[in-house]
Amino acid sequence: MVEYPTQTAYIHLTNNAPVPFYATAGAAGFDIAANETVTINPNSWVRISTGLHIQLPVDQELQIRSRSGIAYRKGLVVHQGIGTIDSDYRGEVQVMLRNTGLNAVTVNRGDRIAQGVIAPVIRVEFEVVDKLDDTVRGDAGFGSSGR
């Protein structure tokens, strides 16, 4: 059995929102459910209420990610790829889902719509320099590392 070390994140739920949960002992992400029923038309996106407010340790963030199951079955993905909830945000966590499919999809209250992953945050101090160190790759971008 996987035994992850735990820290405490405090949550406040509004409108009888579903409590987020880890589906399995080895899950890195916890499931986040919709707290409303909405229909998402093809090639459009909707901001969905979760009723979840969270207080994280100051050196962590909550990443909102797509769930592979609803992406595969219904074409619903987190619109911006990954959403970031900062440790000092106290508002409601909302999920912006995009319908990439050809048909309208209804999300019902209680449906698992995203997963949340708590991740460490490392902050840096920026120092302006005249030149960066040289590397083999240099400034070759977009697809250059696959050649």
Side-chain angles (χ1 to χ4, degrees):
M1 162 117 11
V2 176
E3 293 287 333
Y4 285 111
T6 60
Q7 293 186 37
T8 301
Y10 301 99
I11 60 171
H12 172 73
L13 302 173
T14 56
N15 300 322
N16 294 317
V19 176
F21 64 94
Y22 292 92
T24 67
F30 55 88
D31 290 331
I32 299 173
N35 199 34
E36 63 180 327
T37 297
V38 296
T39 298
I40 309 171
N41 291 317
N43 201 30
S44 64
W45 52 92
V46 174
R47 190 171 54 185
I48 301 175
S49 170
T50 67
L52 171 65
H53 303 251
I54 190 163
Q55 179 179 328
L56 298 167
V58 71
D59 62 344
Q60 296 179 13
E61 66 161 329
L62 166 57
Q63 296 177 357
I64 306 296
R65 301 179 181 184
S66 297
R67 293 188 70 246
S68 60
I70 66 169
Y72 177 72
R73 289 189 307 277
K74 299 181 179 183
L76 299 180
V77 296
V78 172
H79 179 60
Q80 69 274 37
I82 294 178
T84 295
I85 306 298
D86 298 309
S87 65
D88 59 352
Y89 177 67
R90 295 296 183 269
E92 179 185 18
V93 173
Q94 297 180 340
V95 175
M96 195 171 349
L97 282 187
R98 180 181 187 95
N99 181 350
T100 63
L102 301 175
N103 301 305
V105 176
T106 298
V107 172
N108 295 299
R109 184 185 184 285
D111 287 352
R112 296 176 297 160
I113 57 169
Q115 60 181 326
V117 174
I118 307 297
V121 172
I122 299 171
R123 295 196 52 172
V124 298
E125 291 184 19
F126 296 98
E127 181 178 341
V128 177
V129 296
D130 293 327
K131 185 178 183 304
L132 301 177
D133 293 342
D134 290 327
T135 66
V136 172
R137 182 176 180 178
D139 63 359
F142 291 109
S144 64
S145 64
R147 292 185 199 158

